[in-house]
Amino acid sequence: MSLRRRLAALGAALLAAATLALPAAAARECVGQNLFERMPPGRLAELDAAAEGVPYRQGLFWRAEKDGQRVTLLGTYHFADPRHDLTMDRFGPEIDEAALLMVEAGPEEEERLTRAMTADPTLLVDPDGPTLPERFTDAEWKSLSAALEARGLPAVIASRLRPWYVAVMLGVSPCMMRVIEERGDPGGLDHLLVERAEAAAVPVRALEPWDTVFTLFEGMTPREEEDMIRAAMPAAEYADDYAVTLADAYFSGDSWMIWEFGRFDAYDNSGLTRDEVDEQMRLAQEKLMDRRNESWIEPIERAAAEAAAQGKGVVIGFGALHLPGDHGVLRLLENRGWTISPVTVEGIGNGG
């Protein structure tokens, strides 16, 4: 989710630019319920069946080995959580001894992203095209503007935001936005990995260019953009519960269940047909995960070869949803001759 972390940080920057002041005390009051615990058993079984057979669905931490090369792959959660301490206790020493830490975006990339945002607000705001109120029905815009208002984005600003950014921000709970505003960053596992590497003077290298976020949704039709927002709206209605459910699913080692939860929630509540929801999920998976996963393999293999020449390994951290699937990083490496094995961390589940 470092993509979601970057997008959330951009949201915080946009809030600051609009001189909005969010109450700091509220950032310490993130409370929600695990939606899986309230879900009827039949629906939970449907989600589990939909996720069944997804390669490497369960597990967060993995080792990949090939011809004396060694890569440690850490699926990350991009927001602060005290349970990250268990992960850092296990892998911090390994980072200290690594030749390199790789993450979706390192400090240099995030700095360039911030500079670009400051210099060119049109990266997130469309000054020329039709506004969101013009693209949606009155009822849809009322619900959408209220959801964005809850995230600190007043209607006058939200009406001109680019659709892809709106869709992603709907997945960040209002409480998380307040935390980001207070802290200055989401403080997730990615951040902790980079901090540890910098303290140990271990180089940090990005898996992708700094401006990747602005290119992911190119080529979408206006209707696809609008349906992307419609599909994201149901979870926005109970975003704090969704955030708790996401975190609990992550630390249980089964992040893919959240992906399927989003699908079935959109089936029930988005107003889209099942085919339309499935198409949105396909587009999201292709743009947010699959294409990026495929672009990461060559840099990962190159870094592993460089590290092996030094008698060392590489540690890599990226959002946990990049691990599973036929186009997930683990299967892509396996297809190129790497041996994949799980690494356990006491206190954090491996799914199931």
Side-chain angles (χ1 to χ4, degrees), residues 43-345:
R43 174 45 60 91
L44 192 59
E46 282 187 277
L47 266 63
D48 197 57
E52 185 69 27
V54 174
Y56 297 108
R57 160 192 164 185
Q58 296 173 330
L60 297 172
F61 313 119
W62 302 83
R63 195 92 66 203
E65 297 174 290
K66 178 183 178 181
D67 300 332
Q69 302 168 68
R70 185 179 73 258
V71 177
T72 301
L73 301 121
L74 311 179
T76 65
Y77 173 64
H78 299 314
F79 293 96
D81 192 291
R83 289 170 285 188
H84 289 319
D85 291 346
L86 298 171
T87 305
M88 293 308 300
D89 287 345
R90 172 63 180 81
F91 295 107
E94 195 163 328
I95 293 173
D96 295 343
E97 300 300 320
L100 181 71
L101 171 70
M102 301 188 80
V103 289
E104 293 177 47
E108 180 181 340
E109 287 72 30
E110 295 193 352
E111 183 180 345
R112 290 189 66 181
L113 185 62
T114 301
R115 289 202 307 267
M117 262 288 299
T118 303
D120 185 7
T122 66
L123 291 171
L124 296 184
V125 177
D126 183 357
D128 302 317
T131 65
L132 293 178
E134 293 170 329
R135 298 177 68 165
F136 291 92
T137 67
D138 289 345
E140 286 175 328
W141 172 242
K142 182 178 179 181
S143 296
L144 177 57
S145 60
L148 294 173
E149 184 84 36
R151 289 154 178 79
L153 295 165
V156 66
I157 293 176
S159 66
R160 283 285 180 189
L161 290 174
R162 297 192 180 277
W164 65 265
Y165 182 64
V166 171
V168 177
M169 289 311 298
L170 289 173
V172 182
S173 79
C175 182
M176 283 182 172
M177 286 302 299
R178 292 191 290 268
V179 170
I180 295 163
E181 178 71 5
E182 182 181 71
R183 293 176 52 105
D185 70 71
L189 181 57
D190 316 74
H191 180 84
L192 297 175
L193 297 175
V194 170
E195 277 189 345
R196 181 71 180 235
E198 291 181 330
V202 172
V204 178
R205 184 183 300 173
L207 284 162
E208 59 194 9
W210 69 272
D211 59 350
T212 296
V213 63
F214 298 120
T215 65
L216 293 175
F217 300 95
E218 291 177 347
M220 294 185 72
T221 68
R223 179 56 190 258
E224 287 173 341
E225 292 179 332
E226 292 153 14
D227 283 352
M228 180 169 55
I229 292 175
R230 291 186 179 101
M233 275 298 296
E237 298 296 323
Y238 39 83
D240 288 338
D241 289 343
Y242 190 85
V244 169
T245 309
L246 170 61
D248 288 351
Y250 168 81
F251 284 103
S252 76
D254 198 358
S255 299
W256 197 260
M257 282 291 281
I258 282 288
W259 184 257
E260 294 302 335
F261 173 85
R263 181 193 306 276
F264 280 81
D265 197 33
Y267 286 161
D268 294 340
N269 301 307
S270 69
L272 300 173
T273 68
R274 281 202 166 211
D275 286 346
E276 288 170 333
V277 170
D278 287 341
E279 176 62 11
Q280 280 303 309
M281 297 297 288
R282 185 195 67 77
L283 282 171
Q285 181 173 337
E286 177 185 306
K287 291 176 178 293
L288 291 173
M289 294 184 286
D290 294 353
R291 288 183 184 176
R292 297 169 68 212
N293 296 345
E294 289 161 5
S295 74
W296 293 350
I297 299 304
E298 184 178 341
I300 289 173
E301 291 194 316
R302 184 167 58 249
E306 294 170 359
Q310 305 173 42
K312 295 185 175 184
V314 175
V315 178
I316 306 177
F318 47 73
L321 280 176
H322 292 278
L323 290 167
D326 288 320
H327 295 276
V329 170
L330 297 176
R331 176 53 59 88
L332 293 174
L333 287 172
E334 183 182 52
N335 289 343
R336 295 171 71 95
W338 290 79
T339 298
I340 309 297
S341 55
V343 181
T344 59
V345 174

